[in-house]
Amino acid sequence: MGEGIWSADVCIYGAEPVAPVSLLTAADSLQVRRNPGTLPSRVADNFYWLGRYLERGEALLGAIRVMLGNSIDVDGGAVLSPTTVGKLVGLIVGAGSAPHPPSLRRADLTALARTAMEDERWQSILTLNRHAREIGEGSRDRLSADMVRLLEAPFPTHRGMLERAGSLQRRYAAIAGLSAEHMGRTAAWRFHDLGRRIERAMAMARAIRLFGMPGASPDDLSVLLDLADSQISYRQRYPTGIARVPVMDLVALDPGNPRSLAFSAERIAARLAELPVLSDDEMAEPQQSQATGLQAIVMTATAAELNAETLGDIERRLGAVSDALARRYFLQGAEPLRTSGLTLA
């Protein structure tokens, strides 16, 4: 040291004991806090799209399972009419998950299902899971180890298509359970839940428009109940048979059905109300106004009068809510979205 050499760590020995000194805060002096800190916009964006990718994959998987005949309608069997199967094919193809098959024969439907499940050239389940896994890899400090393991789990390799689909369904259910019961109710969870609710409502609006319009066949209505995971609820309420208006009410307007449009619209509005806003004038911001308008349309609709035009409007409004949410909370180039000091817990 006397020769001018610099060192970051220096030890000096003395003849007498020296009292220990530490700059660390004593463990018993930490103040209790419940605000987990600032949530970066990038993380909010990631959690939102993690929810959307997972929900999109689960919805696509549901359509594939029904198309392959794995309906939970045990009385109806596995055979669907060609018209209903064609609508299911259109739902899968319309999602960009596979090309249109040359026919509706079993072999062509199986090939379609295989592409929609595991062909990375399309928006398949494998592709959606990869997007979710990439988000998980960048969010390890905010996700539980169990959640990360499920996101990174290899794609199922069971021999049968239905076995692979069943394995994926159980994985999606486990991830949804962890999200619902093990994530703290912070802003990160709210963005994740918003992504799930918006994506689920969009998928349900498309399904209702395909399978629930006037003239829908019993097969169409049964498929709609399957896609909404509402077969058991319907059977409990209406044991005498299947009818269009009761099905529409259950899957679209019942606020107690977690798969319905009404349930999702209410949750979207509630989550947006819990997020911070820029002003203190108690005026609704654009994303909140969009969600309120969406909720009003769903709440004032009736099952008998719900038509394709209204469902199309609901889907457009869901897209508008998503766009307004992104403009408000996610970074868009150099656009200033938040005032300094605004905290997302």
Side-chain angles (χ1 to χ4, degrees):
M1 296 296 292
E3 297 177 358
I5 299 176
W6 291 88
S7 175
D9 302 308
V10 177
C11 295
I12 300 176
Y13 291 90
E16 301 295 332
V18 178
V21 177
S22 175
L23 298 179
L24 296 176
T25 304
D28 58 357
S29 67
L30 290 176
Q31 291 185 341
V32 175
R33 58 176 295 177
R34 293 179 180 172
N35 186 335
T38 300
L39 179 70
S41 176
R42 172 188 55 80
V43 177
D45 196 344
N46 284 343
F47 269 76
Y48 174 76
W49 278 102
L50 177 61
R52 291 200 64 169
Y53 285 135
L54 291 171
E55 197 67 34
R56 190 175 299 177
E58 188 173 354
L60 175 59
L61 182 63
I64 293 172
R65 295 180 73 193
V66 175
M67 185 186 68
L68 291 177
N70 196 34
S71 169
I72 61 174
D73 182 0
V74 295
D75 296 329
V79 178
L80 296 172
S81 70
T83 302
T84 302
V85 173
K87 292 179 181 180
L88 277 167
V89 169
L91 187 65
I92 295 170
V93 172
S97 302
H100 204 285
S103 74
L104 299 182
R105 293 180 300 181
R106 183 74 180 184
D108 291 331
L109 294 180
T110 302
L112 172 71
R114 183 175 293 107
T115 299
M117 283 182 63
E118 53 193 42
D119 193 331
E120 291 191 273
R121 295 172 299 177
W122 298 85
Q123 287 299 306
S124 63
I125 293 174
L126 180 62
T127 302
L128 296 171
N129 285 1
R130 188 188 73 242
H131 293 328
R133 183 179 67 249
E134 290 170 353
I135 292 175
E137 289 173 352
S139 308
R140 288 177 175 270
D141 57 333
R142 295 178 182 269
L143 294 173
S144 69
D146 289 334
M147 176 77 85
V148 172
R149 277 194 291 269
L150 287 170
L151 291 173
E152 295 182 347
F155 202 79
T157 57
H158 304 291
R159 294 184 60 182
M161 292 292 294
L162 286 176
E163 287 83 1
R164 290 203 293 277
S167 178
L168 285 167
Q169 180 60 36
R170 289 187 291 274
R171 187 182 304 177
Y172 281 129
I175 293 174
L178 287 173
S179 302
E181 300 298 335
H182 293 265
M183 288 183 68
R185 278 3 185 203
T186 62
W189 175 82
R190 294 185 183 100
F191 280 107
H192 178 74
D193 196 55
L194 275 167
R196 280 188 175 274
R197 302 301 170 184
I198 289 175
E199 187 68 36
R200 180 178 298 180
M202 285 182 168
M204 191 50 55
R206 296 187 199 107
I208 296 171
R209 201 164 68 244
L210 270 176
F211 299 100
M213 294 296 95
S217 68
D219 277 352
D220 289 343
L221 298 175
S222 181
V223 165
L224 181 55
L225 289 173
D226 277 347
L227 295 177
D229 196 18
S230 300
Q231 283 278 8
I232 295 174
S233 297
Y234 185 87
R235 296 288 179 96
Q236 288 176 337
R237 296 184 192 182
Y238 311 103
T240 58
I242 193 166
R244 191 185 79 86
V245 172
V247 170
M248 291 287 284
D249 182 76
L250 178 61
V251 303
L253 306 179
D254 186 348
N257 181 3
R259 295 280 171 178
S260 72
L261 293 176
F263 186 94
S264 293
E266 187 277 328
R267 291 303 174 94
I268 290 168
R271 295 292 166 262
L272 289 173
E274 293 166 353
L275 293 176
V277 294
L278 286 173
S279 61
D280 58 359
D281 57 9
E282 298 297 325
M283 298 293 290
E285 290 192 342
Q287 72 278 359
Q288 294 172 316
S289 297
Q290 293 280 3
T292 301
L294 168 68
Q295 190 177 13
I297 289 178
V298 176
M299 289 180 63
T300 56
T302 61
E305 297 176 355
L306 194 59
N307 54 36
E309 182 180 354
T310 302
L311 289 164
D313 185 37
I314 288 173
E315 192 171 350
R316 286 190 294 272
R317 286 176 179 272
L318 286 163
V321 171
S322 181
D323 292 341
L325 177 72
R327 285 193 299 269
R328 170 60 180 80
Y329 292 106
F330 306 153
L331 292 179
Q332 308 286 329
E335 181 182 354
L337 297 180
R338 295 191 297 275
T339 59
S340 60
L342 183 63
T343 298
L344 292 176

